[in-house]
Amino acid sequence: MKMTKILLLFILLLASFQMLLRAQASEEVAVAAEKVALSDSVNVAIMDSLIYVADSLAYHHVDERIYLWHNSAVFYEDSQISADSMYIDLKKEQAFTYGPTTMKDGEQVLLGRDVAYDIRSQTGFMWDGLSRIEKSYYGGEEIRKVGAKVYDVDRGRFTTCDLAEPDFWFTAGKLRIYQGDKLVGKPVVAWVNHLPVFYFPFLVVPIKRGRHPGFLIPEPGYNNVDGKFLREIAWYYPYKDYADIILSLDLMEKTGWKAKLNTTYIKRYLYDGFLRLAYQRQRRDFITSYDWSLRARHHHDLGERAAFDADLDFISNKRIWESSGSLDENLAERLSSSMSYRQPLLGSYLNVGATYTQDLVNDQVALSLPSASFSMPSRPVYELFGFKGRSPAAWFANLSYSYGVRLDHTGSIDAADKSWRDYFWSNRSDSTQVLSEHHAGIKHNLGLSYNIKPLSWLNTSQSFSYGEAWFDRDKEGKKWVRGSDYSFSTAANFNIYGIRNFSKGKITSIRHIVTPSASLSYRPDFEENKRFYSFGGIAVSQSKAMLPLSLGIEQKWQLKYKSGREEKRIAEAFSLSSRASADLKSKQKKFNHLAHSLAFKPGDVKLGSFRIPGTKSVLRDVGFTYDAQVSFSHNPYDITWQSLALKNQYFTHKLQVSGSAAYKTWFTRPKNRLFSSLDGSQDDSSDGSHSSGEGWKLSLSQDISAAKNLFKPENSNLHFDASLKVSQNWQMSYSNYFDLKKSKLLAQSISLSRDLHCWKLELSYSRRNELWEYRLALFNMALPEALRFQTRDSKRY
C-alpha cells in the first residue's frame, strides 16, 4: 500500500506540470475520459481498479484523501460518479460530491446533489435525486442504494409521464425500487395535475422487462345475477421460453366461484397449442351445481411431413358459459372435438382421426371413431407403364386415374342415461325412439378421366367413376354386405373474348368474356341400394336411372380506366351467370330449374378531398366502395308472358365510405430532456402546432331474401358499422344489427376511447337479445398490465 501511495504522489507531481497522462493510460481510461468530455488540461490517475478524472487534482498524504475540482469523475467497474467537485477518502474507501451530481450504476442513471458513496460495497445516498427506470421516472428527497440493485427513496415520487411537467404522479412516504423488477410504496397517493385523487395504503408496480411471474390486476364489477364480483384474481407464470401459465379465480357475491387454468405454448418447428380448463361452483334458486369446461388445441410436427392434431371442446353444462363475455360461447348450440394423424403415403397423405359432436340444445352426441381416408390425386395412366419424364406422343397421354378409400365407424347417442357402451358400439332403442345407433363401413372410389382439345379453342373432358362400399349390416339385418355404383360424364367449355378501346374519357378499355359450358352424365338405376345405410361418407347411389344435362353461360366485364397518370383495372366490374339443368331420362318435365346470379363490383372510387361547409376542417382521401349481388331461380314451365315465376330470391349490397381527417394540436408541451444527453435518446418535442391524420370509415350493408317476391321479403337485415376519430383524443366505434322485417334491433355495440396522454380510458356498451353489458377500463400506456383499473356490469331482462 505504501508503494502505491508513493506512485500516486509521483503522478500528482507530474500533473502539476500539466503533463497529460491519457496517452500513457490504458484503453479503458481513454474511454472513461471520453465519457465525461475531458479537455486537453484534464488529469487522469489510476489507483488499484479506480480511475480518477478532473481538471485539477490534489492529494493529502496525511489524511489519505484525493481532492478533485471541475469536471471530476470516478470510475469503478460499471459504476461512475460525475460532479463539479468531490473528494475520495482512501482509508474509508468512500467518495463524496458537492453540488449537482450524475451517478451511473450499470444501466441506472441518477441525477441529484451531494452524494456519499461507498466504493467497495457500491452503496450510498443522494439528495434531491431523480432517475429514469424502464418507461418511468422516480425521485425523492433522499435516494439510498442499499443493495446490488435495490434503492430506498424517502418522500418519493413516481410517474410514467414523459413531460417536463408531468400530468400525474404517485407520491409515497417510503418507496423501494428493485431495479428491473418492481416498485413498492407505502402509503401512496395518486395525483392528477396537483390534485390528490386516490389513496393506497400499499402499492406494488411491476417494471420487469419481458415475461416474469407475478399477480395480474383483478377486475371488479357488479351485475344483477352475480352481485358484486371480483374476476381474474390471477397468477401468471412463464415456463422457460415456450409456455405461459395463468391460474385465476373469479369470486361472485351471490352465485359462487370459478377457477380457471389457461396455458399457451409453442416450440418452433415442433409443436404448439393451448389448454383452457375451468371448474365452477354455482348457486342458483337454492340449488348448488358444479360444472366444468375443457378447451385444448395441439399441433405436433412429427418429421417427414407427418403431423398430429387435436382440437378438444367439452363442457358438462352450458351454465358455465352464462357469465362469459364471449358472444360465441353465449350463443353456442353445438361443440365439436377432433383428433387426426397425417402420414405421407404414395405422393399423398393417409389421414386417421376421430370426431365428437355435442348438441347442447337437444343433449345429443354424434361421433366418428375411428375414421381413416386416403386419396390419391389424379395421375397420368402412362406412369403405370414405365413412362417417365415427358408424356408420350400417344392417344393415352391425356388419360388420368384417381383412387380414394375411406373407412369409418359412426355413432349417434340420444339417450338421457348415456353409458360407455353407447359411445362405442351399443345399438338400443325404446318404443318411441332410437337411443344409440352405430355403423361401420369402408368405401373405394376409382376414377378415370380423359381431357382433350379437338379444336384449339374447345376444352373437353370425359370421365368414369366407380364406387364400392362394404357395410356392417343393411336395413334388412344382413351382416357385412356390399353395394356399388358407377357413372359416366362428358363436359365441354370455351371462351369468347370481345374488347372495345376508347380514346376519350376516363374508361380506356372494356373487355367482355363469355364462357359457355355444357355437361352430360349418365347414372344407371340403383334403387336396389336403398337397403343400405348412409353415414360418414360411406354411401352408394340409391336413385333411379338419370341422364342429367347441365347448361351454363358465364359472362364477365373487365374495365381499364385512368386515375391521374396511372391506368387501373377492375377485374370483375360486372358478372352474370346463368345455369339450367335437366334430366333427359324424365318422361315428363325434363328441365328442373333455371338459376341466375348477377354481381356488381366496381372497386374503390377515390373522390379526393372535401371541406366541411362552414368550417375549416378538410376530409382527405375520401373514397367509397360498393358491391351488390342478386340471385334467383325459376321453373321454366311456370314462366308466362305475365310472370317470370321467380323464386329463391336473394339480394345483398354493401356501401363503405372512408377517408382521413387532420387534427391540429396547439401549445405542445416540452418533454423531459434531463436524460437525453446521458443515454443517447432523442427528444421529439416541438413548439407550435402540428397536425396528424386519422382514418374514418362508415359501412352499411343489407341482405334480403324472399321465396317469391323480393319486395315482400321473408327476411331483411341491416348492418351498420362506423369508426371515427371525433377529436384529437376521442375515438369512437359503433355497430348494430337490425331486423327490418320485424323492426327490431337485435344487437348493437358502441365503444369510446379517450387518449389521456400517458393513460387511456376505454368505455364500451353492448346489447344482444336479452343481455346488456358495459365495460370501463383505465390503463397506463407505458405499463398497461401493471397500472390498470377496470370494471364491468351486465344484466339480463
Side-chain angles (χ1 to χ4, degrees):
M1 184 67 181
K2 184 177 181 181
M3 181 62 68
T4 304
K5 293 177 180 178
I6 294 173
L7 177 60
L8 177 61
L9 181 59
F10 178 72
I11 293 173
L12 294 176
L13 290 173
L14 293 177
S16 65
F17 292 100
Q18 296 188 359
M19 295 182 64
L20 299 179
L21 300 180
R22 286 184 297 170
Q24 302 172 4
S26 64
E27 182 181 352
E28 181 182 11
V29 178
V31 173
E34 184 180 355
K35 290 182 179 178
V36 293
L38 299 177
S39 65
D40 292 340
S41 62
V42 167
N43 296 278
V44 180
I46 305 174
M47 185 172 182
D48 295 337
S49 57
L50 297 177
I51 303 171
Y52 310 97
V53 182
D55 288 348
S56 301
L57 296 173
Y59 177 64
H60 285 196
H61 177 71
V62 177
D63 297 333
E64 298 189 27
R65 290 184 177 182
I66 300 176
Y67 292 87
L68 302 95
W69 292 281
H70 308 301
N71 296 323
S72 59
V74 176
F75 300 89
Y76 178 73
E77 295 180 353
D78 60 348
S79 298
Q80 171 189 341
I81 302 176
S82 303
D84 180 71
S85 302
M86 70 175 69
Y87 79 87
I88 296 95
D89 190 323
L90 297 177
K91 287 183 179 180
K92 297 180 180 180
E93 298 184 336
Q94 295 176 344
F96 301 87
T97 73
Y98 300 96
T101 303
T102 299
M103 183 175 177
K104 291 186 178 182
D105 182 23
E107 297 180 356
Q108 187 76 24
V109 178
L110 295 98
L111 306 177
R113 63 178 179 84
D114 303 340
V115 170
Y117 191 72
D118 187 277
I119 297 173
R120 297 299 179 184
S121 64
Q122 299 185 49
T123 60
F125 66 87
M126 170 186 285
W127 292 96
D128 296 333
L130 177 65
S131 180
R132 181 164 66 182
I133 183 169
E134 299 300 335
K135 299 178 180 179
S136 56
Y137 301 84
Y138 73 89
E141 291 186 8
E142 182 179 326
I143 299 178
R144 297 181 300 278
K145 185 180 180 185
V146 297
K149 291 187 177 182
V150 182
Y151 300 83
D152 281 348
V153 183
D154 291 343
R155 289 169 292 281
R157 175 170 167 157
F158 166 77
T159 183
T160 62
C161 185
D162 60 354
L163 297 176
E165 292 292 333
D167 291 321
F168 87 98
W169 59 88
F170 295 94
T171 59
K174 296 291 183 182
L175 183 65
R176 172 163 286 189
I177 295 96
Y178 297 87
Q179 186 178 347
D181 187 9
K182 59 181 175 289
L183 284 82
V184 182
K186 65 175 185 179
V188 177
V189 178
W191 298 75
V192 176
N193 291 333
H194 302 279
L195 179 68
V197 296
F198 210 86
Y199 170 81
F200 304 90
F202 183 84
L203 183 65
V204 178
V205 180
I207 56 174
K208 183 179 291 186
R209 293 179 179 177
R211 302 161 59 245
H212 56 275
F215 284 100
L216 305 180
I217 297 177
E219 177 187 350
Y222 174 84
N223 61 47
N224 65 332
V225 176
D226 299 319
K228 298 176 183 178
F229 61 76
L230 191 61
R231 302 188 192 276
E232 301 298 333
I233 307 172
W235 169 259
Y236 168 74
Y237 180 78
Y239 179 73
K240 296 184 178 180
D241 294 332
Y242 51 84
D244 295 323
I245 302 171
I246 299 178
L247 288 169
S248 62
L249 179 67
D250 297 345
L251 297 177
M252 283 73 73
E253 178 188 20
K254 297 180 180 179
T255 55
W257 52 265
K258 185 176 183 180
K260 293 176 288 186
L261 168 64
N262 295 337
T263 178
T264 303
Y265 56 89
I266 180 171
K267 197 162 187 180
R268 196 175 182 185
Y269 305 125
L270 191 57
Y271 56 77
D272 62 82
F274 67 82
L275 173 65
R276 309 280 188 266
L277 290 172
Y279 185 77
Q280 172 180 278
R281 181 183 184 271
Q282 188 180 69
R283 298 188 306 272
R284 290 278 181 88
D285 301 327
F286 305 103
I287 299 175
T288 301
S289 58
Y290 295 87
D291 300 305
W292 56 267
S293 67
L294 165 66
R295 276 189 170 178
R297 183 172 298 161
H298 180 79
H299 171 77
H300 207 122
D301 289 316
L302 303 175
E304 301 297 331
R305 295 185 298 164
F308 172 78
D309 289 277
D311 195 343
L312 307 179
D313 200 352
F314 298 98
I315 62 173
S316 60
N317 193 286
K318 200 177 178 181
R319 286 188 301 260
I320 199 167
W321 284 346
E322 288 181 351
S323 60
S324 172
S326 170
L327 180 62
D328 292 336
E329 291 181 350
N330 291 148
L331 303 180
E333 297 182 353
R334 187 182 301 270
L335 297 181
S336 296
S337 301
S338 64
M339 300 179 68
S340 64
Y341 171 75
R342 184 184 67 183
Q343 175 67 46
L345 178 65
L346 299 177
S348 185
Y349 288 96
L350 171 66
N351 296 282
V352 181
T355 61
Y356 180 93
T357 303
Q358 181 180 2
D359 188 329
L360 302 177
V361 177
N362 301 310
D363 192 24
Q364 296 175 343
V365 170
L367 56 85
S368 174
L369 176 69
S371 65
S373 64
F374 171 76
S375 179
M376 184 180 295
S378 180
R379 294 181 177 179
V381 171
Y382 62 75
E383 290 183 354
L384 301 175
F385 299 96
F387 290 95
K388 296 182 179 180
R390 295 183 177 181
S391 61
W395 67 269
F396 56 84
N398 295 320
L399 183 63
S400 302
Y401 73 98
S402 61
Y403 173 75
V405 60
R406 180 178 179 84
L407 179 148
D408 208 346
H409 160 248
T410 65
S412 60
I413 303 98
D414 199 19
D417 55 337
K418 300 178 180 64
S419 65
W420 285 106
R421 293 184 59 196
D422 292 329
Y423 288 95
F424 290 97
W425 189 250
S426 175
N427 292 302
R428 62 190 182 101
S429 60
D430 59 19
S431 57
T432 60
Q433 65 177 350
V434 176
L435 300 178
S436 64
E437 184 176 11
H438 290 258
H439 296 281
I442 184 171
K443 183 176 181 180
H444 304 267
N445 286 291
L446 176 65
L448 293 173
S449 63
Y450 185 65
N451 301 319
I452 189 174
K453 276 191 170 184
L455 300 173
S456 59
W457 50 269
L458 181 63
N459 303 306
T460 66
S461 65
Q462 293 76 36
S463 63
F464 166 77
S465 64
Y466 173 80
E468 180 179 284
W470 288 83
F471 305 86
D472 63 297
R473 69 185 187 279
D474 62 12
K475 296 177 182 179
E476 298 174 357
K478 296 180 180 179
K479 303 293 184 180
W480 292 111
V481 291
R482 169 188 169 276
S484 63
D485 61 14
Y486 60 90
S487 65
F488 302 89
S489 66
T490 181
N493 68 77
F494 60 92
N495 294 324
I496 302 174
Y497 300 92
I499 300 177
R500 177 71 180 271
N501 297 319
F502 302 92
S503 58
K504 297 181 180 181
K506 282 196 170 184
I507 298 177
T508 59
S509 178
I510 298 178
R511 186 188 193 195
H512 184 200
I513 306 174
V514 182
T515 306
S517 62
S519 65
L520 178 66
S521 302
Y522 170 70
R523 179 171 294 168
D525 189 335
F526 291 111
E527 288 189 291
E528 62 178 14
N529 288 339
K530 289 184 178 180
R531 64 189 181 98
F532 300 119
Y533 290 99
S534 299
F535 56 91
I538 311 297
V540 290
S541 175
Q542 299 179 3
S543 63
K544 59 183 179 180
M546 298 179 64
L547 188 61
L549 171 66
S550 178
L551 301 174
I553 182 169
E554 294 185 4
Q555 302 183 69
K556 297 179 182 178
W557 286 265
Q558 301 175 339
L559 299 180
K560 284 186 179 180
Y561 65 96
K562 294 178 181 179
S563 178
R565 296 183 178 180
E566 299 182 19
E567 186 176 60
K568 296 186 178 181
R569 176 185 176 188
I570 301 177
E572 267 186 50
F574 298 92
S575 63
L576 174 62
S577 174
S578 299
R579 185 161 295 277
S581 62
D583 182 7
L584 301 183
K585 290 282 291 184
S586 176
K587 295 181 180 180
Q588 296 181 349
K589 298 180 179 180
K590 298 183 181 298
F591 280 90
N592 299 322
H593 66 275
L594 302 175
H596 309 274
S597 177
L598 173 64
F600 173 56
K601 298 179 180 180
D604 298 333
V605 178
K606 300 297 183 182
L607 301 178
S609 299
F610 295 92
R611 183 181 299 276
I612 300 177
T615 69
K616 295 183 179 180
S617 301
V618 178
L619 301 180
R620 300 176 301 179
D621 303 322
V622 178
F624 75 90
T625 60
Y626 178 79
D627 59 78
Q629 181 175 351
V630 60
S631 61
F632 55 89
S633 63
H634 46 193
N635 191 323
Y637 301 102
D638 296 336
I639 298 176
T640 64
W641 289 106
Q642 291 77 28
S643 172
L644 293 176
L646 302 181
K647 61 179 182 179
N648 298 326
Q649 301 175 61
Y650 178 78
F651 174 71
T652 179
H653 62 145
K654 180 179 180 180
L655 172 65
Q656 179 175 298
V657 184
S658 60
S660 62
Y663 300 91
K664 289 186 177 295
T665 302
W666 299 92
F667 309 111
T668 57
R669 302 166 63 186
K671 298 292 185 69
N672 188 334
R673 304 177 62 180
L674 293 175
F675 297 89
S676 300
S677 60
L678 298 175
D679 56 11
S681 61
Q682 300 295 323
D683 177 64
D684 58 356
S685 61
S686 60
D687 297 327
S689 66
H690 70 277
S691 61
S692 62
E694 297 290 340
W696 56 270
K697 180 175 66 176
L698 302 175
S699 175
L700 184 66
S701 62
Q702 182 185 17
D703 57 270
I704 305 172
S705 60
K708 294 182 178 181
N709 189 346
L710 199 60
F711 295 97
K712 296 180 181 180
E714 279 76 23
N715 296 289
S716 179
N717 301 309
L718 188 68
H719 301 262
F720 177 72
D721 294 279
S723 64
L724 64 151
K725 193 170 185 179
V726 181
S727 67
Q728 177 63 29
N729 297 314
W730 282 99
Q731 186 84 23
M732 184 190 78
S733 64
Y734 175 79
S735 65
N736 66 26
Y737 179 43
F738 193 83
D739 189 333
L740 295 174
K741 182 67 176 178
K742 299 179 180 179
S743 298
K744 182 179 180 181
L745 185 63
L746 301 180
Q748 69 172 335
S749 65
I750 184 172
S751 65
L752 294 171
S753 65
R754 174 68 162 88
D755 188 351
L756 301 170
H757 183 244
C758 41
W759 289 78
K760 192 169 187 178
L761 177 67
E762 291 184 347
L763 174 65
S764 64
Y765 169 86
S766 63
R767 182 173 181 176
R768 54 184 183 272
N769 296 327
E770 299 177 351
L771 173 69
W772 66 259
E773 179 180 43
Y774 82 83
R775 293 174 180 267
L776 177 66
L778 175 66
F779 58 90
N780 187 266
M781 300 291 286
L783 302 171
E785 298 300 328
L787 295 175
R788 174 183 288 268
F789 309 94
Q790 60 185 16
T791 185
R792 65 174 174 172
D793 191 6
S794 60
K795 185 176 181 179
R796 292 181 182 274
Y797 290 99

